[in-house]
Each structure stands twice: as C-alpha cells, then as structure tokens.
Amino acid sequence: MTDISVVLSGEAGQGIQTLEHVLTHILKNSGLHVFATKEYMSRIRGGNNTTEIRVSSERIRALIDRIDILIPLGKNATYRLENRITDKTLVIGEREFIETSPGEKIEVPFLEMAKQLGNKLFANSIAIGFLSGLLGADESALENQIKEQFKGKGEEIIKSNTLAATEGYKRGKEISHNIGLSLKKHEYVKDELILNGAESVGLGAIAGGCNFVSSYPMSPSTSVLVFIAQHKNDFGIVVEQAEDEIAAMNMIIGAWYAGARGLVTTSGGGFALMGEALSLAGMLETPVVIHLAQRPGPATGLPTRTEQGDLNLALYAGHGEFPRIIYSPGNIEEAFYITQMAFNMADKYQIPVFILTDQYLIDSFYNLPPFDLKNIRVEKYIVKTEKSYLRYSLTEDGISPRGVPGYGEGLVKVDSDEHDEYGHITEDFEIRRKMVEKRLKKGEKLKEEILKPKLIGDENFQTLIVAWGSTLEVIREAISDMKGIALLHFSQVWPIDSSVVKLLERAKKVIAIEANATGQFANLIRQTTGFYIKERILKYNGIQFSVEELKSKIEGVI
C-alpha cells in the first residue's frame, strides 16, 4: 500500500486530538506524508469524535471515506463509522471495544499494557507508539516527539512515557510485519512544515504586519485567536478578548484609524453581530481584515461542523453600499499567502477585506514545503499629513490619502455621518453624491487586482467544475484520473473576474460543487456574468465532501 487511512474514534476528553498531534509529527519527522482532519461533537466531554490520519508515500491533502485501520477508544466508537468499515478494515484495540465491530479485528490491550507499566494513563503513549511501529515510523522520531510532548513535566514522566511508547512501538512493528505494511519515506519531508488552517491564517496575519487582534471566541474561528495569542510576545502583537463581537469589531476599526493593522476572527453568528460596525468601516473608509470561519447555521446550528453557507452573509452584510473584497483560500498554503495579502489590500483600498474559511480547512493539517517569503511585503499606505490635509479628498480613483492621528501636522477627522472632504458632517446633497461615487470607485479600481481563478486538470476539458474555498484539494484528487474534466477554482469570490464566462461557455457541461444547500457561489456567478450553472453538487449535512463521494457524484452527472 502507498496510502493508508487511519481513524481514531472515542469520546471527547480521551485525548484523541493529542494523539493526532503527536502521531502526525512523528510520521512527518520520519519522512512520511501526512494529512489529518477531525470531526467532533459540540460538547466538552462524552459524545463521539473521530480524527482521520492519512499516511502516504506521496503528497496527500484530502479526506477519504476508506478506513484501512480503525482504533476505537470507547464502547460506542464504531457506531457512526459502520458504513465506512469494510471486510478489509483492520479494527485494532481492546476486545470490549472491537468485538461487535465489522472488519478484521486484532486485539491489542492498550489499557492492560499500561497497567502493567504502572499507570493506566500510559495507554495513550502506548497507542502512539503502537501506531508509529505499525506505520513504519522511526523509533528515534517517536522518542523525540514524546520528549517534546512532555517537556516541562519532569524527567520521570518523560522516561515513563517513552518506555510506554517503546513498548507500544514493538507491538506495532510485530503486527506491521505480519500484515505487510510498507510505505516509502522521503528525507525532504522531514524538513517540511506541518500546519493546520488556523495556524496558517495566523502566520499569514503575522506576515501581513498584523499587530492587533480583537475577538470574542466562537468555534471554529477561535483557534486563530489562540494561535496568535500564543505568539503575541514574539511578534509584538496586542491580543484582546473583547466583551462581545460588537466591541471586537469596533476595536479593530479604532486600531486601523490609529495606524495599527488589526484582525478580527469570528464565525457566522459572531459576524452577524458585527454588521453595524462593518458599515461604520465602510463609511469611515477604514481598513479592516475579518477572518470568518464558516460553520452550519442558522443561529447556533452545528457549532463544530463545516459548511460554505456564509458567502452571502459576507457579501451583503452591513447597511448602505460600499466595496469589499472576499477571499476564500483553497488550502493551507493559500491560507497563509492570501491572509498576508489581505492586510495590504485593506490598507491600499481602505475597505473591509474578508478571509472566508470553514471548520474543515481550519482543523485540517498536512506537511508542506516552507513558505516562499521572497515576495512577502508589508505594504503600508499611510501618509504624513500637512496642515491642509483632507481625509476624504476627492480623487480620480476614489482612494484618498490616509493619514493617522499624530503623524504630520494635519487633523484626521472622520464621521459616521455623511461627510465632506474634511471629514465634517454634511447634508449637502451634491457632496453626498460625490462621496458615494468616490467610495464605489474604489470597488472598480480594485478589480485590477482580482485573483484569477485556477484551472486545474485537462486543458481540453469538456466538463468544467466550478468551486471555491476549501473544496479545492478534495476535488483535485477526485478528478485526478478523469479525462476531459477540469476544475476552475476561485480563491477570491468577490469581486469576480467576469471574463471567466469565456471558460464556462467553452465547456459542454458545467458543474458547481459547494458545501451549502443553494449554490450561493453559482448564483453569484449568474448574477455577475449571466451564466447559469444548472448542474450542482451540494452538501450541507455538516461534513466535508470525501474524495470517493465526489468522484461518484461527478461521474453520475457526466
């Protein structure tokens, strides 16, 4: 086998995410490609959560349905996975957890082994060691990661857990030898990064010069707030957990007004509360960067699941008319580069810029080459003001020079009411008309810098798939061996380059794939270009598309 899918399943609080974190780092540091993603219930303890770890000799970046190895860590751990377990699935673990499960069963008494070593808490270290041995990881990588995991907890704890992991490793090696598992390792993989989407958004923000973050926690966006908070001292970033989302957004506006580069990270329900402040940013022409991590709504919906249901929310939020940019990164690399760029674009055009992700992208991770930083620039467009400074001077492209208080001799006056070039309140109808047109001109100007959609697959396509955001990698893998089909993927979903209609018209069949119930992006394409996409593959049960699922659905349509 060159690609193995391992699923860990158990209750919240059993340490599944720790197992995932430690194991994926061991595998990567052994030279194996890894991809991991999780689905979990909205509760602190109990329920049933799973994490899928793909280990491969080749680069992998997408969820699959197939389970080659299942490790149940509780009595009900296999219940929700039964439709994915086949006769070829190896179900490994305690007898009481696997005896009623379908699949080929191998009993491994992790808990009894831990007790023999002196403490049942060693069970997770034994399981990590077992899977490391089973999948062919290096024993040295296992020992190093165990030391890293328990550093700061004392030598005795490190020693005990290393012993437990080594015992598990031996057992895993024995079984691996018996069933013939073998994956090719690559030295270059050891030097690569391993990141999830949240970390990549956070790193992109830091690379974009972000120095202020204000947010109110909300899944799945919170992990970006946590990541930046963990590194704030390294990069001189002020991180504020605001009393609510309204305060968070208004703090970001104030930060940009004062010359900082602010980020707010939130999810659908939280962003809904920010609508008025978003309009304030539009009227003040204050840059803001908003990370909106989508989850299924309406209201609380499915707080820990995934969906692409908030495109319309980001597109139409706020009262009045003002321009905005909406990016939607397709993978972890794009999450970094696009977030970095978002700060420059917000600064340049003095508008709200969205980074639209979702739970699947935020919580998935894989190994990747280091980011290419040679073209990374923090572009600042603040001007030193003179006494005659006009904050809202009328310019040909609608972009007024942006000063900040205290930098220069001018006064930087802003007003949420309609205002004149000085920033003074006005009800002059002619000035009102000019200010509306000035703001909208920026929306036309920024179209010169639209991210073009990527065409992936057969250039002589007959069928063209249209998609956006986090579906990129799963579609890429699903169509990788299909002839006559290509993917047109959008990482910027507003504004849209209307010239794409030429590609759409070339295809004999166009299929939109989206994780929502109505095809929000397909509808937006029709609104923008007039091109109607009839064929739509939509999913809205809270779970990301899998490769096999999409392949089957695409074949069903073509």
PDB file of all heavy atoms in Angstrom, residues 25-48:
ATOM      1  N   HIS A  25       3.176  14.361  13.801  1.00  0.00           N
ATOM      2  CA  HIS A  25       4.532  14.910  13.830  1.00  0.00           C
ATOM      3  C   HIS A  25       5.580  13.790  13.776  1.00  0.00           C
ATOM      4  O   HIS A  25       6.616  13.933  13.130  1.00  0.00           O
ATOM      5  CB  HIS A  25       4.732  15.778  15.073  1.00  0.00           C
ATOM      6  CG  HIS A  25       4.119  17.145  14.946  1.00  0.00           C
ATOM      7  ND1 HIS A  25       2.757  17.357  14.974  1.00  0.00           N
ATOM      8  CD2 HIS A  25       4.684  18.364  14.734  1.00  0.00           C
ATOM      9  CE1 HIS A  25       2.515  18.646  14.823  1.00  0.00           C
ATOM     10  NE2 HIS A  25       3.657  19.283  14.665  1.00  0.00           N
ATOM     11  N   ILE A  26       5.305  12.678  14.455  1.00  0.00           N
ATOM     12  CA  ILE A  26       6.234  11.541  14.391  1.00  0.00           C
ATOM     13  C   ILE A  26       6.337  11.023  12.962  1.00  0.00           C
ATOM     14  O   ILE A  26       7.437  10.768  12.449  1.00  0.00           O
ATOM     15  CB  ILE A  26       5.751  10.414  15.331  1.00  0.00           C
ATOM     16  CG1 ILE A  26       5.867  10.859  16.791  1.00  0.00           C
ATOM     17  CG2 ILE A  26       6.544   9.130  15.093  1.00  0.00           C
ATOM     18  CD1 ILE A  26       5.145   9.930  17.758  1.00  0.00           C
ATOM     19  N   LEU A  27       5.194  10.875  12.304  1.00  0.00           N
ATOM     20  CA  LEU A  27       5.182  10.345  10.938  1.00  0.00           C
ATOM     21  C   LEU A  27       5.898  11.300   9.983  1.00  0.00           C
ATOM     22  O   LEU A  27       6.703  10.884   9.148  1.00  0.00           O
ATOM     23  CB  LEU A  27       3.743  10.104  10.492  1.00  0.00           C
ATOM     24  CG  LEU A  27       2.987   9.025  11.279  1.00  0.00           C
ATOM     25  CD1 LEU A  27       1.505   9.077  10.972  1.00  0.00           C
ATOM     26  CD2 LEU A  27       3.547   7.643  10.968  1.00  0.00           C
ATOM     27  N   LYS A  28       5.602  12.598  10.107  1.00  0.00           N
ATOM     28  CA  LYS A  28       6.269  13.582   9.233  1.00  0.00           C
ATOM     29  C   LYS A  28       7.772  13.586   9.477  1.00  0.00           C
ATOM     30  O   LYS A  28       8.582  13.594   8.525  1.00  0.00           O
ATOM     31  CB  LYS A  28       5.674  14.970   9.503  1.00  0.00           C
ATOM     32  CG  LYS A  28       5.986  16.023   8.444  1.00  0.00           C
ATOM     33  CD  LYS A  28       7.324  16.700   8.566  1.00  0.00           C
ATOM     34  CE  LYS A  28       7.399  17.600   9.782  1.00  0.00           C
ATOM     35  NZ  LYS A  28       8.722  18.337   9.809  1.00  0.00           N
ATOM     36  N   ASN A  29       8.163  13.538  10.715  1.00  0.00           N
ATOM     37  CA  ASN A  29       9.588  13.557  11.039  1.00  0.00           C
ATOM     38  C   ASN A  29      10.296  12.245  10.701  1.00  0.00           C
ATOM     39  O   ASN A  29      11.518  12.157  10.797  1.00  0.00           O
ATOM     40  CB  ASN A  29       9.780  13.896  12.514  1.00  0.00           C
ATOM     41  CG  ASN A  29       9.388  15.335  12.820  1.00  0.00           C
ATOM     42  OD1 ASN A  29       9.442  16.198  11.946  1.00  0.00           O
ATOM     43  ND2 ASN A  29       8.976  15.600  14.047  1.00  0.00           N
ATOM     44  N   SER A  30       9.507  11.261  10.297  1.00  0.00           N
ATOM     45  CA  SER A  30      10.079  10.004   9.798  1.00  0.00           C
ATOM     46  C   SER A  30      10.182  10.003   8.281  1.00  0.00           C
ATOM     47  O   SER A  30      10.657   9.031   7.690  1.00  0.00           O
ATOM     48  CB  SER A  30       9.208   8.820  10.257  1.00  0.00           C
ATOM     49  OG  SER A  30       9.157   8.748  11.662  1.00  0.00           O
ATOM     50  N   GLY A  31       9.682  11.074   7.637  1.00  0.00           N
ATOM     51  CA  GLY A  31       9.762  11.160   6.181  1.00  0.00           C
ATOM     52  C   GLY A  31       8.507  10.720   5.453  1.00  0.00           C
ATOM     53  O   GLY A  31       8.535  10.505   4.237  1.00  0.00           O
ATOM     54  N   LEU A  32       7.395  10.602   6.175  1.00  0.00           N
ATOM     55  CA  LEU A  32       6.135  10.182   5.553  1.00  0.00           C
ATOM     56  C   LEU A  32       5.202  11.378   5.366  1.00  0.00           C
ATOM     57  O   LEU A  32       5.136  12.265   6.226  1.00  0.00           O
ATOM     58  CB  LEU A  32       5.448   9.136   6.433  1.00  0.00           C
ATOM     59  CG  LEU A  32       6.172   7.791   6.543  1.00  0.00           C
ATOM     60  CD1 LEU A  32       5.639   6.994   7.718  1.00  0.00           C
ATOM     61  CD2 LEU A  32       6.017   6.997   5.238  1.00  0.00           C
ATOM     62  N   HIS A  33       4.488  11.400   4.251  1.00  0.00           N
ATOM     63  CA  HIS A  33       3.480  12.443   4.031  1.00  0.00           C
ATOM     64  C   HIS A  33       2.262  12.149   4.904  1.00  0.00           C
ATOM     65  O   HIS A  33       1.845  10.981   5.024  1.00  0.00           O
ATOM     66  CB  HIS A  33       3.053  12.475   2.565  1.00  0.00           C
ATOM     67  CG  HIS A  33       4.108  12.981   1.641  1.00  0.00           C
ATOM     68  ND1 HIS A  33       4.425  14.322   1.544  1.00  0.00           N
ATOM     69  CD2 HIS A  33       4.935  12.335   0.780  1.00  0.00           C
ATOM     70  CE1 HIS A  33       5.387  14.489   0.654  1.00  0.00           C
ATOM     71  NE2 HIS A  33       5.723  13.297   0.182  1.00  0.00           N
ATOM     72  N   VAL A  34       1.693  13.198   5.480  1.00  0.00           N
ATOM     73  CA  VAL A  34       0.516  13.013   6.336  1.00  0.00           C
ATOM     74  C   VAL A  34      -0.539  14.073   6.024  1.00  0.00           C
ATOM     75  O   VAL A  34      -0.230  15.192   5.606  1.00  0.00           O
ATOM     76  CB  VAL A  34       0.870  13.095   7.844  1.00  0.00           C
ATOM     77  CG1 VAL A  34       1.702  11.915   8.260  1.00  0.00           C
ATOM     78  CG2 VAL A  34       1.566  14.396   8.176  1.00  0.00           C
ATOM     79  N   PHE A  35      -1.767  13.680   6.230  1.00  0.00           N
ATOM     80  CA  PHE A  35      -2.913  14.600   6.198  1.00  0.00           C
ATOM     81  C   PHE A  35      -3.814  14.175   7.341  1.00  0.00           C
ATOM     82  O   PHE A  35      -4.020  12.982   7.572  1.00  0.00           O
ATOM     83  CB  PHE A  35      -3.678  14.500   4.877  1.00  0.00           C
ATOM     84  CG  PHE A  35      -5.047  15.144   4.930  1.00  0.00           C
ATOM     85  CD1 PHE A  35      -5.197  16.500   4.690  1.00  0.00           C
ATOM     86  CD2 PHE A  35      -6.174  14.392   5.253  1.00  0.00           C
ATOM     87  CE1 PHE A  35      -6.458  17.096   4.762  1.00  0.00           C
ATOM     88  CE2 PHE A  35      -7.432  14.984   5.326  1.00  0.00           C
ATOM     89  CZ  PHE A  35      -7.570  16.338   5.075  1.00  0.00           C
ATOM     90  N   ALA A  36      -4.365  15.130   8.066  1.00  0.00           N
ATOM     91  CA  ALA A  36      -5.272  14.774   9.167  1.00  0.00           C
ATOM     92  C   ALA A  36      -6.413  15.777   9.233  1.00  0.00           C
ATOM     93  O   ALA A  36      -6.230  16.973   8.979  1.00  0.00           O
ATOM     94  CB  ALA A  36      -4.525  14.732  10.494  1.00  0.00           C
ATOM     95  N   THR A  37      -7.572  15.269   9.557  1.00  0.00           N
ATOM     96  CA  THR A  37      -8.715  16.145   9.787  1.00  0.00           C
ATOM     97  C   THR A  37      -9.598  15.494  10.833  1.00  0.00           C
ATOM     98  O   THR A  37      -9.481  14.301  11.113  1.00  0.00           O
ATOM     99  CB  THR A  37      -9.496  16.406   8.492  1.00  0.00           C
ATOM    100  OG1 THR A  37     -10.429  17.471   8.713  1.00  0.00           O
ATOM    101  CG2 THR A  37     -10.244  15.165   8.016  1.00  0.00           C
ATOM    102  N   LYS A  38     -10.466  16.270  11.415  1.00  0.00           N
ATOM    103  CA  LYS A  38     -11.268  15.752  12.512  1.00  0.00           C
ATOM    104  C   LYS A  38     -12.716  16.195  12.390  1.00  0.00           C
ATOM    105  O   LYS A  38     -13.032  17.198  11.734  1.00  0.00           O
ATOM    106  CB  LYS A  38     -10.701  16.230  13.845  1.00  0.00           C
ATOM    107  CG  LYS A  38     -10.676  17.750  14.000  1.00  0.00           C
ATOM    108  CD  LYS A  38     -10.131  18.186  15.355  1.00  0.00           C
ATOM    109  CE  LYS A  38      -8.679  17.921  15.515  1.00  0.00           C
ATOM    110  NZ  LYS A  38      -7.777  18.741  14.677  1.00  0.00           N
ATOM    111  N   GLU A  39     -13.582  15.409  13.020  1.00  0.00           N
ATOM    112  CA  GLU A  39     -14.971  15.843  13.197  1.00  0.00           C
ATOM    113  C   GLU A  39     -15.314  15.530  14.639  1.00  0.00           C
ATOM    114  O   GLU A  39     -14.973  14.483  15.168  1.00  0.00           O
ATOM    115  CB  GLU A  39     -15.899  15.173  12.182  1.00  0.00           C
ATOM    116  CG  GLU A  39     -15.927  13.661  12.201  1.00  0.00           C
ATOM    117  CD  GLU A  39     -16.944  13.101  13.182  1.00  0.00           C
ATOM    118  OE1 GLU A  39     -17.883  13.826  13.523  1.00  0.00           O
ATOM    119  OE2 GLU A  39     -16.774  11.947  13.606  1.00  0.00           O
ATOM    120  N   TYR A  40     -15.960  16.498  15.294  1.00  0.00           N
ATOM    121  CA  TYR A  40     -16.195  16.326  16.723  1.00  0.00           C
ATOM    122  C   TYR A  40     -17.518  16.955  17.119  1.00  0.00           C
ATOM    123  O   TYR A  40     -17.998  17.909  16.494  1.00  0.00           O
ATOM    124  CB  TYR A  40     -15.048  16.916  17.544  1.00  0.00           C
ATOM    125  CG  TYR A  40     -14.637  18.322  17.163  1.00  0.00           C
ATOM    126  CD1 TYR A  40     -15.039  19.415  17.929  1.00  0.00           C
ATOM    127  CD2 TYR A  40     -13.845  18.564  16.048  1.00  0.00           C
ATOM    128  CE1 TYR A  40     -14.659  20.697  17.595  1.00  0.00           C
ATOM    129  CE2 TYR A  40     -13.458  19.843  15.698  1.00  0.00           C
ATOM    130  CZ  TYR A  40     -13.865  20.904  16.478  1.00  0.00           C
ATOM    131  OH  TYR A  40     -13.485  22.178  16.127  1.00  0.00           O
ATOM    132  N   MET A  41     -18.088  16.368  18.180  1.00  0.00           N
ATOM    133  CA  MET A  41     -19.390  16.846  18.652  1.00  0.00           C
ATOM    134  C   MET A  41     -19.209  18.089  19.519  1.00  0.00           C
ATOM    135  O   MET A  41     -18.136  18.325  20.067  1.00  0.00           O
ATOM    136  CB  MET A  41     -20.103  15.727  19.405  1.00  0.00           C
ATOM    137  CG  MET A  41     -20.291  14.469  18.558  1.00  0.00           C
ATOM    138  SD  MET A  41     -21.148  13.136  19.385  1.00  0.00           S
ATOM    139  CE  MET A  41     -22.848  13.628  19.105  1.00  0.00           C
ATOM    140  N   SER A  42     -20.284  18.844  19.651  1.00  0.00           N
ATOM    141  CA  SER A  42     -20.224  20.113  20.376  1.00  0.00           C
ATOM    142  C   SER A  42     -20.444  19.871  21.861  1.00  0.00           C
ATOM    143  O   SER A  42     -21.516  20.144  22.389  1.00  0.00           O
ATOM    144  CB  SER A  42     -21.275  21.083  19.824  1.00  0.00           C
ATOM    145  OG  SER A  42     -21.281  22.276  20.569  1.00  0.00           O
ATOM    146  N   ARG A  43     -19.430  19.323  22.506  1.00  0.00           N
ATOM    147  CA  ARG A  43     -19.509  19.114  23.950  1.00  0.00           C
ATOM    148  C   ARG A  43     -18.097  18.991  24.511  1.00  0.00           C
ATOM    149  O   ARG A  43     -17.162  18.652  23.800  1.00  0.00           O
ATOM    150  CB  ARG A  43     -20.343  17.876  24.280  1.00  0.00           C
ATOM    151  CG  ARG A  43     -19.838  16.615  23.648  1.00  0.00           C
ATOM    152  CD  ARG A  43     -20.862  15.504  23.765  1.00  0.00           C
ATOM    153  NE  ARG A  43     -22.027  15.781  22.933  1.00  0.00           N
ATOM    154  CZ  ARG A  43     -23.098  15.008  22.864  1.00  0.00           C
ATOM    155  NH1 ARG A  43     -23.167  13.932  23.589  1.00  0.00           N
ATOM    156  NH2 ARG A  43     -24.117  15.298  22.059  1.00  0.00           N
ATOM    157  N   ILE A  44     -17.964  19.274  25.811  1.00  0.00           N
ATOM    158  CA  ILE A  44     -16.657  19.255  26.447  1.00  0.00           C
ATOM    159  C   ILE A  44     -16.180  17.823  26.663  1.00  0.00           C
ATOM    160  O   ILE A  44     -15.042  17.471  26.393  1.00  0.00           O
ATOM    161  CB  ILE A  44     -16.686  20.007  27.791  1.00  0.00           C
ATOM    162  CG1 ILE A  44     -17.177  21.443  27.572  1.00  0.00           C
ATOM    163  CG2 ILE A  44     -15.309  20.001  28.439  1.00  0.00           C
ATOM    164  CD1 ILE A  44     -16.316  22.252  26.635  1.00  0.00           C
ATOM    165  N   ARG A  45     -17.077  16.965  27.192  1.00  0.00           N
ATOM    166  CA  ARG A  45     -16.733  15.564  27.398  1.00  0.00           C
ATOM    167  C   ARG A  45     -17.857  14.689  26.860  1.00  0.00           C
ATOM    168  O   ARG A  45     -18.999  15.118  26.751  1.00  0.00           O
ATOM    169  CB  ARG A  45     -16.516  15.259  28.888  1.00  0.00           C
ATOM    170  CG  ARG A  45     -15.339  15.990  29.498  1.00  0.00           C
ATOM    171  CD  ARG A  45     -15.059  15.492  30.904  1.00  0.00           C
ATOM    172  NE  ARG A  45     -14.512  14.138  30.885  1.00  0.00           N
ATOM    173  CZ  ARG A  45     -13.210  13.889  30.742  1.00  0.00           C
ATOM    174  NH1 ARG A  45     -12.354  14.874  30.608  1.00  0.00           N
ATOM    175  NH2 ARG A  45     -12.765  12.662  30.747  1.00  0.00           N
ATOM    176  N   GLY A  46     -17.504  13.432  26.527  1.00  0.00           N
ATOM    177  CA  GLY A  46     -18.501  12.499  26.028  1.00  0.00           C
ATOM    178  C   GLY A  46     -18.699  12.642  24.536  1.00  0.00           C
ATOM    179  O   GLY A  46     -17.869  13.185  23.825  1.00  0.00           O
ATOM    180  N   GLY A  47     -19.844  12.127  24.061  1.00  0.00           N
ATOM    181  CA  GLY A  47     -20.096  12.135  22.622  1.00  0.00           C
ATOM    182  C   GLY A  47     -19.142  11.195  21.903  1.00  0.00           C
ATOM    183  O   GLY A  47     -18.530  10.312  22.510  1.00  0.00           O
ATOM    184  N   ASN A  48     -19.036  11.376  20.621  1.00  0.00           N
ATOM    185  CA  ASN A  48     -18.128  10.531  19.856  1.00  0.00           C
ATOM    186  C   ASN A  48     -17.424  11.367  18.796  1.00  0.00           C
ATOM    187  O   ASN A  48     -18.075  11.983  17.961  1.00  0.00           O
ATOM    188  CB  ASN A  48     -18.911   9.382  19.200  1.00  0.00           C
ATOM    189  CG  ASN A  48     -17.982   8.410  18.508  1.00  0.00           C
ATOM    190  OD1 ASN A  48     -17.984   8.305  17.305  1.00  0.00           O
ATOM    191  ND2 ASN A  48     -17.165   7.713  19.274  1.00  0.00           N
TER     192      ASN A  48
END
